[in-house]
């Protein structure tokens, strides 16, 4: 057989790896090259087809890798953690010392004590001029305080706590006695004035005149006959009154739980439509 003479243009062509086998592989039958561009174009078409198959094979090798392996190759970006939840502050108003224990003016103290006992929160720390405690109700962090400044200066303690922990006023619940409510009756409001109560007056003054904080009022009733109001609020409860007051505290505990976990509207509905023990009997 005569040897084939390659034109100079074809002899100088550079083919991709693997395409040379089209010409020199012993497995392929020898055939004469067609003159002109058609024969060269056909060979180039086969080479390009071979390269395309190689790229397709490479692409398939990536797609066959597990997604987890591909993700590991990407830069990791950790999601930002949410800001810490600010606590609620629950303040009970009263006067310190044994002399005033169990008196009408101290029902705010007693309500906070009942809540602390129910939730297992210790109130033995003295801080911010108050008996102070920290805990959690559900998943809500809370702080509890009983100012030891005497009633008329309660704002000194409350103002310091609010300022130090940057507590929003809508998360400051003040619990105190109210002469205008029937004995044992509870009333929860999202805001309001001091109503002549010196402890509330002091707190509003220390909060720069703001009244936009919730309050839980506990009714102690009006003094009988011509009894002086100051003497009445410092008088202790009799046995029957204490039993009814214990029922009121249990209602108050449930109301505070609802307030923290479900909001003030639902809590106010629960409290403000609840009947006292005297009305139930």
């Amino acid at each position: 057989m005569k040897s084939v003479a390659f034109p100079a243009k074809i002899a100088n062509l550079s083919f991709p790896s693997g395409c040379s086998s089209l010409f020199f592989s012993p497995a392929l039958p020898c055939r004469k090259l067609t003159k002109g561009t058609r024969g060269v174009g056909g060979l180039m078409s086969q080479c390009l087809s071979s390269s395309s198959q190689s790229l397709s094979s490479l692409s398939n090798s990536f797609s066959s890798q597990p997604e987890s392996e591909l993700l590991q190759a990407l830069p990791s970006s950790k999601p930002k953690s949410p800001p810490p939840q600010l606590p609620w502050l629950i303040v009970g108003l009263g006067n310190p010392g044994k002399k005033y224990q169990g008196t009408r003016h101290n029902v705010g103290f007693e309500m906070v004590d009942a809540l602390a006992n129910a939730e297992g929160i210790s109130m033995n720390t003295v801080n911010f001029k108050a008996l102070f405690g920290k805990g959690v109700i559900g998943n809500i962090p809370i702080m509890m305080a009983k100012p030891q400044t005497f009633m008329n200066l309660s704002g000194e303690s409350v103002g310091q706590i609010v300022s130090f922990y940057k507590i929003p006023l809508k998360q400051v619940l003040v619990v105190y006695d109210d002469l205008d409510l029937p004995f044992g009756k509870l009333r929860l409001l999202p805001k309001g004035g001091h109503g002549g109560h010196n402890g509330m007056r002091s707190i509003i003054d220390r909060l720069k005149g703001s009244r936009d904080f919730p309050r839980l009022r506990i009714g102690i009733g009006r003094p009988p006959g011509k009894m002086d109001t100051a003497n009445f609020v410092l008088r202790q409860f009799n046995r029957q009154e204490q039993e009814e007051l214990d029922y009121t505290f249990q209602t108050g505990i449930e109301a505070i739980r609802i307030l923290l976990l479900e909001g003030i509207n639902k809590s106010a509905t629960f409290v403000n439509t609840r009947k006292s023990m005297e009305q139930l009997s």
Side-chain angles (χ1 to χ4, degrees):
M1 178 170 41
K2 293 182 180 181
S3 61
V4 180
F6 288 90
K9 289 184 179 180
I10 298 177
N12 293 330
L13 285 175
S14 174
F15 296 103
S17 174
C19 290
S20 59
S21 62
L22 294 173
F23 299 102
F24 306 112
S25 173
L28 295 174
C30 295
R31 60 188 177 90
K32 185 182 290 187
L33 293 173
T34 306
K35 292 183 179 180
T37 57
R38 172 179 286 183
V40 176
L43 291 172
M44 291 301 295
S45 176
Q46 292 183 36
C47 292
L48 292 174
S49 176
S50 176
S51 298
S52 176
Q53 291 175 0
S54 298
L55 290 173
S56 176
S57 176
L58 180 62
S59 175
N60 290 336
S61 70
F62 276 107
S63 63
S64 64
Q65 285 183 310
E67 185 179 356
S68 58
E69 293 182 9
L70 295 176
L71 291 176
Q72 287 177 359
L74 299 175
S76 60
S77 56
K78 295 182 179 179
K80 292 183 179 179
S81 56
Q85 187 173 17
L86 294 174
W88 272 78
L89 173 62
I90 301 172
V91 182
L93 300 187
N95 288 307
K98 292 182 178 181
K99 177 181 178 181
Y100 301 100
Q101 286 181 359
T103 62
R104 283 168 164 73
H105 219 22
N106 273 35
V107 291
F109 274 9
E110 293 192 43
M111 179 76 251
V112 167
D113 285 337
L115 178 63
N117 290 335
E119 298 295 338
I121 298 172
S122 173
M123 294 286 295
N124 295 327
T125 303
V126 178
N127 207 354
F128 303 103
K129 300 181 180 181
L131 286 175
F132 193 73
K134 294 182 180 181
V136 175
I137 293 181
N139 60 343
I140 306 298
I142 67 166
M143 297 177 180
M144 303 175 68
K146 298 194 301 180
Q148 301 295 292
T149 56
F150 285 93
M151 182 71 78
N152 294 358
L153 300 176
S154 299
E156 293 183 6
S157 172
V158 176
Q160 288 182 18
I161 299 171
V162 170
S163 176
F164 184 83
Y165 289 103
K166 297 180 174 55
I167 302 174
L169 294 189
K170 65 180 182 179
Q171 291 180 205
V172 178
L173 175 67
V174 182
V175 186
Y176 62 100
D177 58 296
D178 193 324
L179 287 163
D180 293 327
L181 283 178
F183 181 80
K185 178 72 175 177
L186 293 173
R187 181 64 54 85
L188 177 66
L189 297 173
K191 58 183 179 180
H194 53 72
H197 193 285
N198 289 332
M200 290 295 289
R201 193 196 308 270
S202 174
I203 291 173
I204 291 171
D205 288 344
R206 287 288 177 162
L207 297 180
K208 301 178 181 180
S210 177
R211 303 178 178 190
D212 298 335
F213 56 91
R215 64 282 314 278
L216 180 62
R217 295 153 52 194
I218 303 175
I220 60 172
R222 282 284 176 182
K226 296 181 179 181
M227 180 183 290
D228 180 68
T229 300
N231 292 333
F232 176 72
V233 299
L234 296 179
R235 194 171 75 170
Q236 294 187 338
F237 300 106
N238 59 40
R239 183 174 179 178
Q240 181 180 348
E241 290 173 331
Q242 190 63 57
E243 288 178 358
E244 185 173 348
L245 199 59
D246 290 340
Y247 172 82
T248 300
F249 291 155
Q250 293 305 311
T251 303
I253 290 170
E254 186 61 26
I256 293 173
R257 288 171 177 161
I258 296 173
L259 170 64
L260 269 57
L261 300 175
E262 302 182 57
I264 192 164
N265 290 336
K266 191 163 186 177
S267 181
T269 300
F270 170 78
V271 171
N272 300 341
T273 59
R274 187 91 168 187
K275 294 182 178 181
S276 67
M277 184 177 176
E278 183 178 303
Q279 290 173 308
L280 293 174
S281 59

